[in-house]
Amino acid sequence: MRRLLLGLVVLSFGPTVRPSDAQDTSAIDRGVRIGIIYRPGVRPGMVVLPVHAAALDSVRAILSRDLDYSDRFELITLPGGDSIRVTGAAPGPRPPAAGGAGRGTGGAGAAAASTLNYPLYQALGADFAVAVTPAPGDTTIVTVHDVAAGGVRREVRARLPALKDPGFRLVVHQLADRVLEAALGVGGTAATRVLFVMEGKVYTIDQDGADQQLVSSSDHQAMSPAWARDGRRFSYMEFWQGHGRLFIQEVGSGKRAPVATTGQALDFTPAFSPDGKTLAFSRATEEGTDLYTVNFKEGCCLQRLTVGRFYDNLSPTYSPDGLRIAFVSTRAGLPQIYVMAADGTDQQLFAPFDYGATGSSNAPEWSPDGQTVAFHRDVGGTLQVFVLDVRTRAVRQLTSVGRNEDPTWAPDSRHMAFVSDRSGYRQLWIIDVETGRIRPLLQKSGARLPAWSPRLPETASSTP
């Protein structure tokens, strides 16, 4: 708790918003890979074809970056010019597209398929090709070609808002996720955002590092942001007259309301239950810090889960099934990761540790797939990110360069955002835990306490 509170007075100040340029082609560090050597053919090759309409330049730029950041493809860069695309029809039958409304093979998508030279792209190492084409009105067609099969895998249609519309980038991100699902059958993280704290305020930023926005009040210091599982709401704490009051805010409208029964003590680190009815949080008093839950839907039913008796219990995180809560406790001396049933029973040590070899552990977050819990731990006087295997209770160190803390999972349970000073100052980074690829999310000093959203629904506005 002291780390969370003291951190508010040591934040660095700097610019708060970086607007995207007209075509979203601003330089964004694409990251490096640490300790990983790729062999040819390990990941499928993907090529995003050139566009023939200037209005779609931004769509292609965002789409390409999202597919790159998925870490599931080797992006192939074509030679200069686009004559390589407009060639004769490939021989052989073209398989039918996957079913679903708006996913047929007619219209512009079929035309693109008939002119694509599949053998040529296969020779270039591509397993998939993505074409972005305009349709009548404000509709955009994204066609996913299966190069090896020589046909269209899926065709996706979407109505794009105007380029400067707050919802434009979210719609394109959702298109990228649909491309990934069409190609590999897995969910993406393009249509997600990360909440974080900087200069005592809560901000949000797209997972590709663009569109930073202030979302908390400008009148009070805030901390401890957390997302609801539906992606339509988030919570955070604000300081009010020496107390910590919890708020829940709607993404679409920006409307917010204080959580009943909070604000009379120092309440912080909220966590939504998976069913969206309950908020678990930490409450600090003169006797210590303990965990509580409240039914914020009904505005009632405050329940105390721990009885600290002059030690601290804080930072709750629900398992995806809602049956358990991992949390931090100082009952054994240094803060360590514990687990209990959601009603407060069966409390036990969760993450094993070695006295003398490692120190305090903090900031746990359960992965969306339920298999691991990420947290940071003191190792030799500096903090490093660890992951706990829930089934075996085995602990693995994930980072080693610089000071690394406050991990938060992406909805794919594969990517993680965290705070690190590996570049010389504290900023947000993203790591792919499967390949080791790491990239900066926000190249500004002072960001902390990130919280990665679930996949955002189509109705979520870009401006909370």
Side-chain angles (χ1 to χ4, degrees):
M1 181 182 68
R2 294 188 186 93
R3 180 181 65 81
L4 295 174
L5 299 181
L6 291 176
L8 289 173
V9 299
V10 297
L11 296 176
S12 300
F13 290 84
T16 57
V17 178
R18 180 188 68 77
S20 303
D21 61 18
Q23 294 191 3
D24 211 287
T25 55
S26 55
I28 295 180
D29 194 323
R30 294 186 177 273
V32 297
R33 295 183 173 90
I34 49 177
I36 301 294
I37 299 176
Y38 282 105
R39 299 185 307 275
V42 168
R43 300 189 302 174
M46 168 73 76
V47 58
V48 181
L49 302 174
V51 297
H52 296 279
L56 297 180
D57 283 346
S58 293
V59 177
R60 182 182 184 274
I62 297 172
L63 195 68
S64 298
R65 191 160 63 229
D66 286 344
L67 294 173
D68 180 24
Y69 287 170
S70 75
D71 291 305
R72 297 181 185 273
F73 304 101
E74 289 290 350
L75 269 292
I76 297 171
T77 301
L78 294 177
D82 60 2
S83 60
I84 192 173
R85 174 175 178 260
V86 185
T87 58
R94 181 163 49 90
R103 297 175 181 174
T105 57
S114 67
T115 59
L116 200 64
N117 189 330
Y118 291 110
L120 177 58
Y121 285 103
Q122 191 170 16
L124 292 173
D127 297 278
F128 300 99
V130 176
V132 182
T133 54
D138 55 358
T139 300
T140 296
I141 301 174
V142 177
T143 306
V144 182
H145 296 268
D146 186 329
V147 174
V152 173
R153 174 69 66 89
R154 187 171 301 172
E155 186 179 277
V156 178
R157 295 171 180 261
R159 288 178 175 250
L160 288 180
L163 181 62
K164 295 184 178 180
D165 188 286
F168 173 80
R169 301 190 87 259
L170 179 59
V171 173
V172 179
H173 288 322
Q174 288 165 342
L175 281 172
D177 284 340
R178 294 174 71 180
V179 168
L180 180 59
E181 194 278 331
L184 301 181
V186 297
T189 62
T192 62
R193 300 192 186 112
V194 178
L195 293 167
F196 64 95
V197 175
M198 188 168 64
E199 302 173 3
K201 302 293 185 291
V202 178
Y203 293 83
T204 183
I205 191 170
D206 285 8
Q207 55 75 37
D208 63 354
D211 201 22
Q212 179 185 331
Q213 299 177 26
L214 173 68
V215 294
S216 66
S217 167
S218 60
D219 299 328
H220 299 271
Q221 286 197 319
M223 61 187 295
S224 305
W227 285 94
R229 297 297 175 93
D230 61 6
R232 300 178 184 276
R233 294 162 296 171
F234 55 89
S235 180
Y236 53 91
M237 180 271 270
E238 282 190 352
F239 285 107
W240 285 69
Q241 299 178 343
H243 302 297
R245 177 180 295 182
L246 300 181
F247 285 85
I248 293 179
Q249 185 164 317
E250 296 179 2
V251 172
S253 66
K255 294 180 180 179
R256 68 175 198 157
V259 178
T261 75
T262 70
Q264 302 305 311
L266 182 56
D267 299 327
F268 59 108
T269 63
F272 287 89
S273 63
D275 64 8
K277 298 178 181 179
T278 301
L279 201 67
F281 61 95
S282 311
R283 171 168 290 177
T285 67
E286 294 180 354
E287 296 182 355
T289 305
D290 280 297
L291 297 179
Y292 289 77
T293 59
V294 62
N295 184 328
F296 67 87
K297 285 282 190 179
E298 304 295 334
C300 71
C301 314
L302 183 69
Q303 180 182 0
R304 185 174 183 174
L305 303 183
T306 64
V307 181
R309 304 188 192 283
F310 299 101
Y311 61 82
D312 296 325
N313 301 281
L314 64 157
S315 301
T317 175
Y318 277 95
S319 61
D321 59 13
L323 299 180
R324 290 184 290 175
I325 296 175
F327 63 102
V328 174
S329 180
T330 62
R331 63 190 65 186
L334 292 174
Q336 296 297 338
I337 309 301
Y338 284 73
V339 69
M340 62 182 170
D343 62 1
T345 61
D346 193 24
Q347 299 183 20
Q348 57 182 284
L349 181 68
F350 203 13
F353 62 96
D354 299 320
Y355 283 106
T358 58
S360 60
S361 301
N362 284 282
E365 182 169 294
W366 218 303
S367 64
D369 64 8
Q371 297 182 16
T372 54
V373 173
F375 61 97
H376 68 244
R377 172 173 283 178
D378 189 316
V379 181
T382 190
L383 300 181
Q384 301 297 341
V385 174
F386 286 73
V387 288
L388 165 72
D389 186 298
V390 171
R391 184 181 61 85
T392 66
R393 303 285 180 100
V395 173
R396 176 171 62 94
Q397 184 173 335
L398 189 62
T399 63
S400 58
V401 178
R403 176 187 175 100
N404 305 277
E405 56 191 306
D406 295 331
T408 177
W409 288 105
D412 62 359
S413 298
R414 168 173 173 157
H415 291 86
M416 179 189 298
F418 61 101
V419 178
S420 178
D421 66 357
R422 62 187 57 219
S423 63
Y425 57 92
R426 289 160 56 91
Q427 66 185 84
L428 297 181
W429 293 78
I430 288 178
I431 187 171
D432 173 16
V433 299
E434 291 193 19
T435 67
R437 182 190 186 186
I438 186 169
R439 61 180 173 91
L441 172 63
L442 178 67
Q443 297 183 355
K444 293 180 181 178
S445 176
R448 56 199 299 266
L449 302 174
W452 205 319
S453 77
R455 295 179 182 92
L456 298 174
E458 294 188 5
T459 56
S461 169
S462 229
T463 306

